[in-house]
Amino acid sequence: MFAGAAALLGVTAGQAQAAEVSYATHCVPPSGVGLPEIDGTTKVDITAPATAKVGDTVDIVWKFTQAASKNPDIIDLPADSVQPSGTLKAAGAQTASVDMVGPRENPAIPKGGDMVLSDMKGTLTLTAAGQVTLTPDAYVVNALGTNTTCTPSESVQPAATITVTAGEGSSSASPDPSGSASASQSQSPSASASASTSTTPSASASETGDDGQTDFTGKVVDIPYTCQSPLGEKKATSPIQINAKKDGGSYDLTVQFKKSVMDSPIDIPAGKVKPTMQVVLGGADEGTVKVEGPLNAEAIPQNSPIEIPDLKGTYKPGATGESTLSPGVLVIEAMGTTTTCTPDSTAVSLTLNTEEQASGASGGDSSSSSSTTTSGGLAETGSGDHASLKALGLIAGTAVLLGAAVFTFMPRRRTS
């Protein structure tokens, strides 16, 4: 009865064996993140039955005892944010590629800590009698939605051998002609982050005269940004609109990012994301006006949308005449890191007929005297030298792979 049940479950009576193999490994981070490729040593235990029969489907377990590198000294990696997948090579009496995959399960991994990868599992249906060797091959580490690919850089020794005997009726068995085997779980999804390029038509500035008017609506302008974060550089284009409401001699400004909704690859707690932007003055006036958004009021779950909220500030004119307002440098502070985004080029969104006010903007940065203030202050770097902005908007997630890190973000169109 036991043997029959074992056969039904694809389990053999042969005792399981485990053997460790160590091999040099070359790991490649996602392209475009400016991080070096990694050379390290992978150590793996492969567990499989010592003996089995033709026709049996055997379970194989790949256990990482050492990953090819540590977590870089950039960011703490959250729990359950890393998933490995890979390929195991069967050779000898039977040739096959066995797909292996592990669950997205890991403890929190601090900066500089050892990478901890879950056990990968797969199955192999045996089709021929003889010795079948099992050798680990390439693997992929998916962390926070991005992939690092690791391949052996030397010949790898077999880590386990299954002795396969002829089973009853094996002479009439029809082996799988492809010799392939599939994992019991699907491969981890490929996640390449891509910025959405705006298709909003180029718009000229909204020219407005006061004449008793108090509300002024700017044109939507497409602004190409280069973003610089601690983890690298990336480009993105966002449609932006600057609106104003007259309040005495000053103007309350509202800056809206029309395509800055992103999916977060990690859980972000409430109160951890803060954007700030400099509105550039031109025409009759000079200087910049700082506008700011609120901290995120609620926690943002992994894979849920994030958006840059409306940024607000106060513009006190420093000159009389037609003054223009254009999007400038955007700074985002999130999860203890700062990303600075500088426009590759800018465009006028709003033109106002202004009257000079005491202590107004002309010739200087008006943010210190007339824009809304924030507690804590943000590091405002790169405002004058095109220091790049990499992941337009809220670090939609820092992703640290096996020794590599990259910002990922997925812009979406604002729904309201």
Side-chain angles (χ1 to χ4, degrees), residues 48-93:
T51 61
K53 300 188 300 294
V54 171
D56 285 345
T57 296
V58 296
D59 294 325
I60 304 170
V61 178
W62 172 325
K63 180 181 180 64
F64 289 93
T65 58
Q66 179 180 300
S69 79
K70 296 180 180 294
N71 183 19
D73 295 322
I74 297 174
I75 188 172
D76 296 334
L77 203 55
D80 300 335
S81 61
V82 180
Q83 181 179 34
S85 59
T87 302
L88 188 78
K89 296 294 187 182

Side-chain angles (χ1 to χ4, degrees), residues 180-348:
S180 64
S182 299
S184 57
Q185 304 179 49
S186 62
Q187 287 278 2
S188 60
S190 171
S192 62
S194 60
S196 166
T197 301
S198 165
T199 56
T200 306
S202 177
S204 60
S206 172
E207 298 182 3
T208 58
D210 284 0
D211 299 329
Q213 184 178 357
T214 58
D215 293 310
F216 306 93
T217 301
K219 295 290 186 181
V220 176
V221 290
D222 290 342
I223 305 300
Y225 277 102
T226 299
C227 300
Q228 184 66 53
S229 77
L231 302 180
E233 177 180 292
K234 197 174 186 75
K235 291 182 178 290
T237 297
S238 181
I240 300 174
Q241 183 177 36
I242 301 175
N243 300 321
K245 183 178 181 65
K246 192 171 184 180
D247 182 9
S250 298
Y251 297 85
D252 295 329
L253 302 183
T254 300
V255 178
Q256 296 178 336
F257 281 75
K258 299 296 185 178
K259 269 192 179 177
S260 292
V261 178
M262 292 152 281
D263 289 342
S264 175
I266 61 171
D267 293 335
I268 299 180
K272 294 297 183 181
V273 178
K274 179 74 177 181
T276 299
M277 195 181 83
Q278 298 291 338
V279 174
V280 179
L281 303 176
D285 213 345
E286 296 180 77
T288 59
V289 177
K290 184 166 69 176
V291 291
E292 302 172 333
L295 293 168
N296 57 310
E298 299 179 355
I300 305 168
Q302 182 179 9
N303 297 323
S304 295
I306 310 172
E307 70 174 82
I308 296 181
D310 289 350
L311 310 180
K312 296 181 180 294
T314 301
Y315 166 42
K316 181 184 288 188
T320 299
E322 286 192 349
S323 299
T324 61
L325 289 80
S326 306
V329 173
L330 172 70
V331 175
I332 298 154
E333 188 174 87
M335 300 294 289
T337 62
T338 299
T339 292
T340 302
C341 300
T342 302
D344 296 331
S345 62
T346 191
V348 174

